Amino acid sequence: MELLMDPAAWIGLATLVVLEIVLGIDNLIFIAILVEKLPPHQRDRARVIGLGLALLMRLGLLSVISWIVTLTTPLFSLFGHGFSGRSLILLVGGLFLLFKATTELHERLEGVSHKGSASGGYASFGVVVTQIVVLDAVFSLDAVITAVGMVDQLPVMMAAVIISIGVMLVASKPLTRFVNAHPTVVVLCLSFLLMIGLSLFAEGLGFHLPKGYLYAAIGFSIMIEALNQIARRNIVREQARFPMRERTSKAVLRLLGGRQSQEEHIGELANTPESMLPATFAPEERSMVSGVLTLAERNVRSIMTHRSDISWVNLDEDPEKIRKKLLEVPHGYFPVCRGSMDNVVGVARVKDLLGDLIRDGKIDEKNSLRTPIYVPESITAINLIETLRRASGQIVLVSDEFGELLGVVSPIDILEAIAGEFPDEDETMEIQATGPGQWTVAGSADLHQLEIALQTEGLVSVEGDYASLGGYMISRFGRLPVEGETLIHEQFELRVASIEEQRIGTVHIRRLEHTGPIET
């Protein structure tokens, strides 16, 4: 009854149960490795027998060691200090715990793990049980000595051992998963072993350390670790708000050397500074990987050829004029329309159209034109790939909800979204470096590619309101700017160089010298 009414005994029991469970994890791991050598139907029985033997062995060792520590009669003296049987047990036990905790901490910090060897056949039940008994004898020492160092009452020690073994017996698999998933808990318990080992060693030399100090330190550490686990759980919950693909792509881009904002660093476990990452990948490789990872979030409007830039065939025009256009423009496919681009009759290959004009003097609408394939403007680039695959190489038309033609897209546009521009003979590069920290960029330039070229962020519209540099600048100005107007994005100055047909033609971009906050 005295022990039941003693708060210190309850605190010691609770702490000791936790320590005994953590100290028994290695025992569980090795037992699991050994029972894997048995047939599946014998594994659970071997696991129960192993933990039962561990319980009996720990209770027996507790009884013996607890009796030895009562022997206070000095056996010999050294440097004026008498050493009894109790002193020797405490000294040896303290050194053992210090050694055990230090080596385990070293293995944890160095990433050393215990692995079982693969076996081609099953071992006999008796051999495995014998191995478990030997292991139990080794693994019981630290648990027993820890119990002696934590509390003074033998009933409390035995109760803690029985409870811990019972918990491990019922929940061995969940416990192993928990400890493997929370390595800081193991490190914390091993640090407790260092404290207990130091306490035992000091008592063996005659310096008594009150158990209350030990309990207070352990309790405070457990409280801090509990808060740490709660914080990590909240961080994981916050990260789970973002799709797994988005988190994975950002992690890959960071490893490739891409930029990452400060907000994206918060809560991530792997927060290695970018400057410390090895330059394993070339800029071209980082650009291509970035292009692949952003395909799922890119709208087709950001990669298509826009309506104003489409080369098309008008069936109402003179055949000679059509033939001349076909020869001048280096494209393999053309939309074929009647009167205007809003009246698309079909899609045709250049060689089929030229063959009709040479042979018949007109286009054979029945045999040379293919049925046009339409996709909505809301489709993403990655979903567009399957449509292009079914299109057998022909161009695909992009339309809005009212059926108006907005642009065309081809397999080469997907390739450009991944690897950068491949301009035709009649085109120039939309993003051209004109000097150190200076670029001339077309207003129709894709913002994803521009972000990669400038190694910046924040240009792409999150809501998808615009897809080009011109759209970004008009959105920032709130109107169509005039030539010479500038705005600032991070450390870059964007100046409108030309306006063409009510749209931004070219923009000059230069990197500003200073990197401090800039007012727009």
Side-chain angles (χ1 to χ4, degrees):
M1 288 300 296
E2 260 184 50
L3 289 177
L4 292 176
M5 301 300 292
D6 185 5
W10 285 104
I11 295 174
L13 176 64
T15 307
L16 190 55
V17 167
V18 174
L19 287 175
E20 292 285 335
I21 290 174
V22 173
L23 290 173
I25 292 298
D26 278 348
N27 200 359
L28 280 177
I29 293 173
F30 278 100
I31 289 177
I33 292 173
L34 290 175
V35 299
E36 286 296 322
K37 300 178 181 179
L38 292 172
H41 67 278
Q42 294 182 348
R43 292 173 184 173
D44 287 337
R45 186 158 61 98
R47 187 180 292 107
V48 172
I49 292 175
L51 290 173
L53 291 173
L55 173 60
L56 295 176
M57 198 164 299
R58 291 187 185 189
L59 292 177
L61 286 173
L62 270 177
S63 301
V64 174
I65 293 179
S66 299
W67 172 74
I68 293 177
V69 296
T70 61
L71 304 178
T72 57
T73 304
L75 301 177
F76 61 92
S77 295
L78 189 62
F79 301 112
H81 177 70
F83 289 89
S84 61
R86 178 181 184 277
S87 301
L88 293 177
I89 288 293
L90 294 178
L91 283 173
V92 174
L95 288 174
F96 175 76
L97 286 187
L98 289 172
F99 172 77
K100 171 80 174 178
T102 302
T103 54
E104 288 288 336
L105 278 173
H106 175 75
E107 290 185 359
R108 293 282 174 176
L109 296 177
E110 292 295 327
V112 179
S113 59
H114 304 291
K115 295 182 179 178
S117 57
S119 177
Y122 295 125
S124 66
F125 187 82
V127 172
V128 171
V129 170
T130 302
Q131 291 177 331
I132 291 175
V133 170
V134 175
L135 276 175
D136 285 338
V138 175
F139 283 107
S140 295
L141 287 175
D142 55 358
V144 169
I145 294 173
T146 301
V148 173
M150 280 292 298
V151 296
D152 298 323
Q153 300 87 359
L154 182 60
V156 176
M157 300 181 200
M158 290 189 168
V161 170
I162 293 172
I163 293 172
S164 62
I165 293 294
V167 171
M168 287 190 292
L169 191 61
V170 174
S172 58
K173 293 180 180 178
L175 275 174
T176 304
R177 286 198 300 267
F178 176 82
V179 171
N180 290 335
H182 300 82
T184 55
V185 174
V186 180
V187 173
L188 183 65
C189 290
L190 290 176
S191 66
F192 293 164
L193 282 192
L194 287 174
M195 295 170 57
I196 296 168
L198 182 61
S199 174
L200 288 176
F201 188 76
E203 287 199 30
L205 294 177
F207 300 99
H208 178 67
L209 298 179
K211 293 289 195 296
Y213 293 161
L214 197 61
Y215 294 155
I218 291 176
F220 180 77
S221 301
I222 291 176
M223 181 181 67
I224 296 299
E225 179 61 21
L227 294 175
N228 183 37
Q229 293 297 332
I230 292 173
R232 288 194 175 189
R233 185 183 63 182
N234 291 336
I235 289 170
V236 172
R237 184 183 303 166
E238 178 67 19
Q239 289 179 339
R241 292 175 53 246
F242 300 95
M244 175 62 74
R245 185 192 175 282
E246 180 179 342
R247 286 177 279 157
T248 304
S249 64
K250 288 181 179 179
V252 171
L253 289 177
R254 187 174 67 254
L255 291 175
L256 291 174
R259 291 190 51 185
Q260 187 180 37
S261 63
Q262 182 64 26
E263 290 77 14
E264 292 169 353
H265 280 287
I266 297 177
E268 295 190 14
L269 299 180
N271 56 354
T272 306
E274 182 181 328
S275 59
M276 296 177 62
L277 293 173
T280 308
F281 295 87
E284 295 80 6
E285 293 172 313
R286 292 199 299 270
S287 175
M288 286 189 287
V289 173
S290 175
V292 171
L293 294 176
T294 57
L295 282 179
E297 58 192 52
R298 294 186 64 170
N299 190 282
V300 67
R301 291 171 55 197
S302 68
I303 65 172
M304 71 182 184
T305 300
H306 292 266
R307 178 188 178 104
S308 58
D309 299 321
I310 296 177
S311 298
W312 58 286
V313 171
N314 186 359
L315 291 174
D316 293 340
E317 288 183 343
D318 180 74
E320 181 60 26
K321 188 175 180 180
I322 295 176
R323 188 184 70 83
K324 185 177 180 181
K325 177 185 289 187
L326 294 176
L327 293 174
E328 288 178 348
V329 182
H331 298 311
Y333 279 88
F334 278 86
V336 179
C337 311
R338 192 179 302 279
S340 71
M341 277 196 292
D342 292 322
N343 186 17
V344 179
V345 180
V347 173
R349 293 185 298 181
V350 171
K351 68 175 187 178
D352 294 335
L353 297 177
L354 287 175
D356 291 342
L357 293 173
I358 294 172
R359 184 178 58 253
D360 305 325
K362 64 177 183 178
I363 293 176
D364 185 354
E365 297 182 28
K366 182 177 180 181
N367 296 319
S368 297
L369 301 188
R370 305 184 183 188
T371 303
I373 300 174
Y374 286 91
V375 294
E377 61 175 328
S378 59
I379 192 173
T380 60
I382 197 166
N383 292 329
L384 178 66
I385 293 176
E386 186 60 32
T387 303
L388 288 171
R389 185 179 288 114
R390 294 197 304 267
S392 302
Q394 79 176 59
I395 58 176
V396 173
L397 309 183
V398 182
S399 63
D400 63 10
E401 57 183 316
F402 303 106
E404 183 180 357
L405 181 65
L406 300 180
V408 299
V409 63
S410 65
I412 194 67
D413 294 317
I414 296 291
L415 181 60
E416 288 184 337
I418 296 174
E421 294 181 77
F422 292 88
D424 292 325
E425 294 180 5
D426 61 339
E427 297 177 338
T428 58
M429 297 286 288
E430 291 188 325
I431 304 173
Q432 300 183 62
T434 56
Q438 297 184 17
W439 297 264
T440 296
V441 184
S444 58
D446 175 33
L447 289 176
H448 287 86
Q449 294 297 332
L450 185 58
E451 282 190 348
I452 295 173
L454 301 182
Q455 295 199 1
T456 186
E457 293 178 344
L459 293 175
V460 178
S461 170
V462 179
E463 294 80 14
D465 297 332
Y466 47 81
S468 65
L469 175 59
Y472 166 77
M473 298 190 70
I474 291 174
S475 176
R476 286 286 304 273
F477 282 113
R479 55 179 171 79
L480 181 68
V482 299
E483 292 184 7
E485 285 196 273
T486 64
L487 60 81
I488 303 298
H489 172 76
E490 292 189 352
Q491 70 271 37
F492 297 96
E493 179 190 75
L494 289 73
R495 181 171 60 84
V496 179
S498 66
I499 299 293
E500 302 172 0
E501 299 178 354
Q502 299 303 307
R503 62 176 179 170
I504 297 177
T506 55
V507 178
H508 290 165
I509 300 178
R510 69 182 182 93
R511 190 190 303 273
L512 301 175
E513 295 297 329
H514 56 286
T515 58
I518 301 173
E519 296 294 334
T520 60

